[in-house]
Amino acid sequence: MATLTVWKFDSADAAAQVESVLQSLQKQQVITILDAAVVSWPEEATKPKTKQLHNLVGAGALTGTFWGMLFGLIFFVPLLGAAIGAAAGALGGKLTDIGIDDDFIKEIKEQVTPGTSALFLMTLGAQTEKVSDALPEHSAELIHSNLDTKTEARLREIFSE
């Protein structure tokens, strides 16, 4: 079963600093990373910066479209034009079908704010407690939404279109 996890950090650069920790956990087979992305939001910035972590994932990675649309729904919706907003609304409906609902988006939007960062992971078989233990010096807080095999397949289908 795939899991979408979101780890929030108390500083704008902390999420980007855990990439080597994730690589180590993956080598130890504590986590299998299907895809990953980082959101960094400096205190003085009006919106966050996003980055997909390509070097942590293999051929099964989702497209950048998934992360772009998810981050657009979470952080940039008020800035979208009507046409883009309508497309985002249609995609939002599809995301709800696979378990990424308004409550999930609202929770992330409320918690990832200026001066913080977040690590978004799509994983298989993650041993969450071991991952958490590897991140304590970074003040990570876990927010997660589980995806079953059928939901993961639907997610890949949506973003391969």
Side-chain angles (χ1 to χ4, degrees):
M1 176 170 81
T3 302
L4 173 63
T5 58
V6 182
W7 296 86
K8 178 194 166 206
F9 297 84
D10 292 335
S11 72
D13 61 346
Q17 295 174 2
V18 300
E19 194 168 349
S20 62
V21 172
L22 294 172
Q23 287 173 331
S24 174
L25 292 172
Q26 194 160 241
K27 285 178 187 173
Q28 296 169 36
Q29 299 180 344
V30 171
I31 189 171
T32 300
I33 300 171
L34 300 175
D35 212 338
V38 169
V39 172
S40 301
W41 199 335
E43 190 72 44
E44 67 282 352
T46 57
K47 60 184 178 180
K49 296 177 186 177
T50 61
K51 177 185 170 191
Q52 190 169 6
L53 301 178
H54 296 286
N55 60 335
L56 287 176
V57 299
L62 293 166
T63 65
T65 305
F66 167 73
W67 297 117
M69 291 304 287
L70 179 61
F71 295 152
L73 288 169
I74 295 171
F75 301 111
F76 309 124
V77 169
L79 305 175
L80 296 175
I84 296 173
L91 180 65
K94 289 183 178 183
L95 289 175
T96 299
D97 292 344
I98 58 166
I100 300 173
D101 60 12
D102 289 343
D103 292 337
F104 176 83
I105 291 170
K106 181 181 176 189
E107 183 175 13
I108 303 301
K109 189 183 291 191
E110 288 174 353
Q111 294 191 36
V112 181
T113 57
T116 67
S117 60
L119 173 66
F120 289 72
L121 292 173
M122 183 75 68
T123 61
L124 276 179
Q127 298 174 30
T128 307
E129 293 166 4
K130 288 186 179 183
V131 173
S132 181
D133 290 345
L135 303 175
E137 70 275 7
H138 298 290
S139 302
E141 177 184 344
L142 175 64
I143 306 166
H144 76 277
S145 173
N146 288 335
L147 303 175
D148 59 29
T149 305
K150 183 178 177 182
T151 301
E152 179 189 356
R154 180 71 182 124
L155 180 67
R156 289 187 183 284
E157 179 185 313
I158 289 169
F159 287 100
S160 66
E161 296 171 354

